Amino acid sequence: MINRASPLADYGWSQFFQSQLSVADLARFSPVRVFAVHRNGLDVAGADYSGRVPPLAGDDDEAEATIGDWLLVDRDSGAPERVLQRKSLFKRKAAGTGRRVQLIAANVDTLFIVTSCNQDFNVARLERYLALAREADVTPVIVLTKADLTDDPRSFVARAARLMPGLLVECLDARAADEAAHLKPWCGAGETVALVGSSGVGKSTLINTLTGGDIATRAIREDDAHGRHTTTGRALHRLKAGGLLMDTPGMRELQLADAGEGIEDVFADIVALAGTCRFADCSHEGEPGCAVRAALEDGTLDPARYARYRKLAREDAHNSAALHERRARERDFGRMVKRVLKEKTGRKGY
Ligand SMILES: Nc1nc2c(ncn2[C@@H]2O[C@H](COP(=O)(O)OP(=O)(O)OP(=O)(O)O)[C@@H](O)[C@H]2O)c(=O)[nH]1
Ligand SMILES: [Mg+2]
Ligand SMILES: [Zn+2]
């Protein structure tokens, strides 16, 4: 539960983070939220501390701070102490040949997966976004825009709702404030939302409607001008309903990396079916007693959906394998360095 008495709640602070602080932490550190990440520092803000702090170095990619993170900052020295455990985390395989993980955004509560009531509506793409949301531990909400341009918004809502049991779907005209108000339950004080969706579906329009300004379009242009890989700009914006909107270029480039669990969530029915095949390692390619084949043959499993699942799972396996390989290489290198240092210092008799 959010402590309304605390101005920190306005930045998204909640019991989840509060419970990570010891009495000693409280005496010495202030919690602050990361608003922007620069090469040489982090822009942070909190109830009684705001400014730029040096980046936090870690021996592992995930120890670094990203946008949306909560940090403890030493009230006297201004030095960052540690990143608090995250509620959720978006990450992706970094650009280039190396396959390091790049952190995109932390502590997002809700992901608005935006698509329109027209030919942009694409089940495979939506499933991909759903898997990313589930993998990041973020609640997905499908937002169907351009409801005003179709005669049949209900058929789009029905198709979206079928993607996953219990999935939340909203359908609206993104330009209309009274309709965007349907999204209020996820936009209130203490809440952090992010948006994904292809070009032209109305993300900027919706952001403008939800923030009551034109900051969204401006922020995007600034980011593009500075280059996507250097800075992320100021990426957290205040929503009219009191919450925060996270808008970073990284969100637009999300790929599946280590999203295995997210995929299994979205396709839980297929995973359950595969669990009833006679052989535990069934490849569903013609083994006897294969429940997946049987379901495809009797029409209870849609072959197109099964094909989309296989494609996502293959892509994920490929990304994850490359990732683990790189992590193992880095570990080996670290051990080698330690060994060499030890030998050296040993010889000198230290
Ligand atoms: N009629 C109608 N037009 C909309 C709606 N949402 C967006 N539009 C229009 O669709 C066009 C594209 O909207 P944007 O908000 O720029 O789309 P975007 O998702 O930000 O696109 P990118 O920035 O390229 O990723 C604009 O002309 C909007 O006015 C809607 O719900 N109804
Ligand atoms: Mg836009
Ligand atoms: Zn099988």
Side-chain angles (χ1 to χ4, degrees):
M1 203 187 71
I2 292 163
N3 173 11
R4 290 281 163 211
S6 155
L8 274 182
D10 281 345
Y11 295 98
W13 186 254
S14 67
Q15 190 56 42
F16 176 85
F17 302 108
Q18 184 76 36
S19 65
Q20 298 179 41
L21 304 192
S22 66
V23 176
D25 285 337
L26 288 167
R28 206 171 141 199
F29 304 117
S30 286
V32 291
R33 196 151 190 207
V34 178
F35 274 69
V37 177
H38 304 283
R39 266 212 187 119
N40 54 0
L42 309 164
D43 288 345
V44 300
D48 49 20
Y49 189 95
S50 74
R52 186 164 297 188
V53 302
L56 259 171
D59 42 9
D60 143 12
D61 291 340
E62 298 195 11
E64 289 167 19
T66 187
I67 291 170
D69 261 325
W70 281 97
L71 299 185
L72 293 186
V73 170
D74 190 304
R75 273 197 283 274
D76 297 325
S77 69
E81 162 69 13
R82 66 175 194 268
V83 179
L84 295 184
Q85 192 200 324
R86 296 157 177 140
K87 235 196 255 180
S88 66
L89 178 64
F90 284 108
K91 54 188 172 186
R92 72 175 180 94
K93 178 170 72 63
T97 46
R99 301 246 182 167
R100 256 173 86 93
V101 165
Q102 186 180 347
L103 307 186
I104 305 296
N107 301 317
V108 170
D109 297 295
T110 306
L111 182 68
F112 290 148
I113 299 173
V114 187
T115 181
S116 326
C117 297
N118 58 23
Q119 68 289 349
D120 180 76
F121 189 97
N122 178 305
V123 169
R125 190 182 324 118
L126 294 174
E127 281 165 346
R128 181 176 301 253
Y129 285 135
L130 286 173
L132 286 169
R134 297 299 290 238
E135 184 64 26
D137 290 320
V138 170
T139 306
V141 177
I142 304 280
V143 179
L144 292 160
T145 58
K146 311 197 184 184
D148 55 302
L149 297 180
T150 173
D151 294 331
D152 194 13
R154 280 188 190 183
S155 73
F156 288 95
V157 174
R159 280 161 70 199
R162 275 201 298 273
L163 288 167
M164 246 177 93
L167 182 61
L168 300 154
V169 183
E170 293 292 339
C171 187
L172 45 81
D173 174 349
R175 301 163 307 168
D178 58 332
E179 295 195 22
H182 293 158
L183 303 178
K184 239 180 170 169
W186 301 285
C187 298
E191 300 284 334
T192 303
V193 302
L195 281 85
V196 289
S198 32
S199 184
V201 295
K203 297 181 299 297
S204 301
T205 307
L206 192 59
I207 290 171
N208 286 342
T209 309
L210 293 173
T211 56
D214 64 348
I215 43 164
T217 26
R218 211 169 53 233
I220 288 161
R221 275 194 228 108
E222 280 166 12
D223 288 340
D224 286 343
H226 286 141
R228 292 167 161 221
H229 303 294
T230 49
T231 71
T232 43
R234 193 155 278 271
L236 276 168
H237 304 286
R238 184 69 61 191
L239 297 166
K240 278 194 288 187
L244 291 165
L245 167 89
M246 191 175 292
D247 186 28
T248 83
M251 287 300 300
R252 277 166 248 147
E253 295 170 357
L254 274 174
Q255 294 172 39
L256 290 181
D258 267 351
E261 281 173 33
I263 295 169
E264 301 213 335
D265 264 6
V266 176
F267 296 96
D269 54 333
I270 299 179
V271 174
L273 202 57
T276 64
C277 291
R278 186 179 305 161
F279 302 112
D281 62 348
C282 186
S283 70
H284 324 304
E285 304 282 359
E287 288 97 328
C290 174
V292 172
R293 282 288 133 197
L296 286 168
E297 272 155 32
D298 71 18
T300 46
L301 175 58
D302 172 9
R305 186 171 142 79
Y306 179 62
R308 294 194 304 269
Y309 165 67
R310 293 290 285 230
K311 185 160 183 281
L312 277 185
R314 256 199 318 273
E315 186 184 315
D316 173 60
H318 176 80
N319 285 340
S320 306
L323 217 64
H324 292 144
E325 201 180 286
R326 178 170 172 127
R327 280 186 191 143
R329 266 206 311 274
E330 285 177 348
R331 256 197 316 276
D332 289 349
F333 179 72
R335 284 199 195 111
M336 189 268 282
V337 170
K338 269 186 201 143
R339 199 173 55 239
V340 169
L341 282 174
K342 209 167 155 190
E343 281 169 13
K344 248 174 120 175
T345 52
R347 265 206 306 276
K348 284 184 184 165
Y350 290 162

